[in-house]
Amino acid sequence: MKDFRDKVAAVTGAGSGIGRALALQLAGEGARVAISDWDAAGLAETVTLLEERGATPHSTVLDVRDRAAVHAWADAIAAHFGSVNLIVNNAGITIFGTVEESPYEDIEKVLDVDFWGVVHGTKAFLPHLTASGDGHVVNISSIFGLFGVPTQSSYNAAKFAVRGFTEALRQEMLVDGRPVGVTCVHPGGIRTNIVNNATASNAADISGIARVFEERLTRTSPESAARTILRGVRHRRPKVLIGADAVAVDLVVRALGAAYQRPFAAVSRRLTASLKAPASLPPTSRKQVSA
């Protein structure tokens, strides 16, 4: 897929962040865009931004955990536009908590959105992408799909699973000679709402973590991330790292192997101690946003 003009592109989690930026850039490059999110208000804002740029998006409020709904969405897009060339499985959430304190329900919720949402989107769109003769699957993993992080076991599990699932899929497309490219994306710190919309299994106040993330760790804009992803699609890259932090972590983990865990744990310990988080957490929503 050398360019996106007149191609049909579907993006989940398009109500904000990377998903919104992708939708806008794809439309700006002449693609016909289908977007979804479970946040109706955020999705409506993206629709307005697209329409202001002259696009006519296909828009659906969607929970990617709902397998039947995702398949119906894919079929509806194909029926509406006549084909589908690109799916970006981008919707994601995170919930902070150690393995011990995380209830099964929180672990299941993160896996249902971040992993099963990717599986549903991939399987629902794959027949349409194959039929198009020029298809591409983009699955958003994370920098946390490269290394483990304390209090992010569920998110780590989901994002590592996305990585393995996507790498296996790419090989299957190569073995079968299918006209479908496959890319796994590992964003580092992106200025999105995923941490601000997160909660904690132990009811701890994570506002300090969100502040550190916002002030120190989010070096890349969603727009820059979207450009990097689309460049990866054009070049049919199997793996896309977004941000200097993702590149650095990838190099360190590959160089140190499992030995990375001790120094990373020490950094996490110092960060946790410095935050001195209060004991209570006001209710917040858990949105499906870009990972």
Side-chain angles (χ1 to χ4, degrees), residues 105-276:
E105 293 79 9
D106 281 358
I107 296 170
E108 288 171 350
K109 183 169 185 176
V110 173
L111 288 169
D112 283 348
V113 175
D114 294 7
F115 175 61
W116 280 107
V118 168
V119 174
H120 295 158
T122 300
K123 286 182 67 64
F125 281 91
L126 195 54
H128 301 297
L129 302 180
T130 301
S132 76
D134 186 17
H136 207 105
V137 176
V138 175
N139 289 336
I140 308 296
S141 177
S142 169
I143 192 173
F144 289 175
L146 302 173
F147 74 110
V149 184
T151 75
Q152 287 292 290
S153 57
S154 301
Y155 191 71
N156 278 140
K159 295 304 185 177
F160 268 84
V162 167
R163 174 183 168 187
F165 175 81
T166 306
E167 291 179 3
L169 173 68
R170 183 170 188 270
Q171 293 176 66
E172 290 168 2
M173 297 299 98
L174 292 171
V175 168
D176 290 347
R178 297 266 198 107
V180 179
V182 180
T183 299
C184 189
V185 179
H186 299 275
I190 313 296
R191 291 194 291 275
T192 70
N193 292 327
I194 191 164
V195 174
N196 289 331
N197 288 325
T199 55
S201 293
N202 63 353
D205 185 350
I206 60 170
S207 60
I209 296 174
R211 185 174 63 255
V212 169
F213 186 82
E214 182 71 23
E215 295 174 357
R216 303 182 193 176
L217 302 179
T218 55
R219 302 299 185 186
T220 305
S221 70
E223 292 74 23
S224 177
R227 286 193 294 272
T228 302
I229 292 168
L230 295 184
R231 186 162 57 246
V233 172
R234 289 190 197 94
H235 294 283
R236 295 177 72 87
R237 290 176 182 158
K239 177 180 179 181
V240 171
L241 300 169
I242 301 179
D245 50 351
V247 173
V249 164
D250 185 52
L251 288 172
V252 169
V253 171
R254 285 193 286 123
L256 296 182
Y260 83 83
Q261 294 172 28
R262 283 192 177 276
F264 280 37
V267 171
S268 296
R269 188 184 303 113
R270 289 197 297 271
L271 177 60
T272 301
S274 69
L275 291 173
K276 297 179 181 178

Side-chain angles (χ1 to χ4, degrees), residues 38-58:
W38 77 348
D39 175 13
L43 189 64
E45 291 175 6
T46 303
V47 169
T48 298
L49 291 170
L50 286 165
E51 290 176 341
E52 289 174 352
R53 288 161 173 74
T56 306
H58 182 285

